[in-house]
Amino acid sequence: MKRIECGDLVPGCTFKAQAETEADVLHMESDHVRHAHGLEVTPQFLERARSRVKDVETQEKK
Ligand SMILES: [Zn+2]
């Protein structure tokens, strides 16, 4: 799983997105910043966002 925390990009925001692929989390983050912060998603922003995407362990361990 991939995960991004919006607070890494927009200080103070607690939004987190998690998805199977980097493309999906970046898409979710882009939608979020557009709607929640009224920001334009620039290539520079996407580049910063991509550098903040983390790998996370899938929760279900049996
Ligand atoms: Zn945010």
Side-chain angles (χ1 to χ4, degrees):
M1 293 287 280
K2 303 286 185 182
R3 174 174 160 111
I4 193 165
E5 296 184 13
C6 188
D8 285 344
L9 299 159
V10 182
C13 184
T14 56
F15 176 82
K16 297 176 177 65
Q18 197 163 300
E20 286 300 327
T21 65
E22 183 182 86
D24 282 347
V25 281
L26 288 175
H27 185 75
M28 289 162 75
E29 174 66 10
S30 297
D31 272 356
H32 164 78
V33 295
R34 263 196 293 264
H35 294 122
H37 302 301
L39 292 175
E40 193 187 338
V41 178
T42 60
Q44 289 78 10
F45 181 87
L46 278 179
E47 208 41 60
R48 278 176 64 214
R50 186 175 290 117
S51 72
R52 298 296 189 160
V53 174
K54 298 164 189 144
D55 277 302
V56 287
E57 302 268 333
T58 310
Q59 299 289 315
E60 337 161 50
K61 275 178 185 162
K62 283 170 190 167

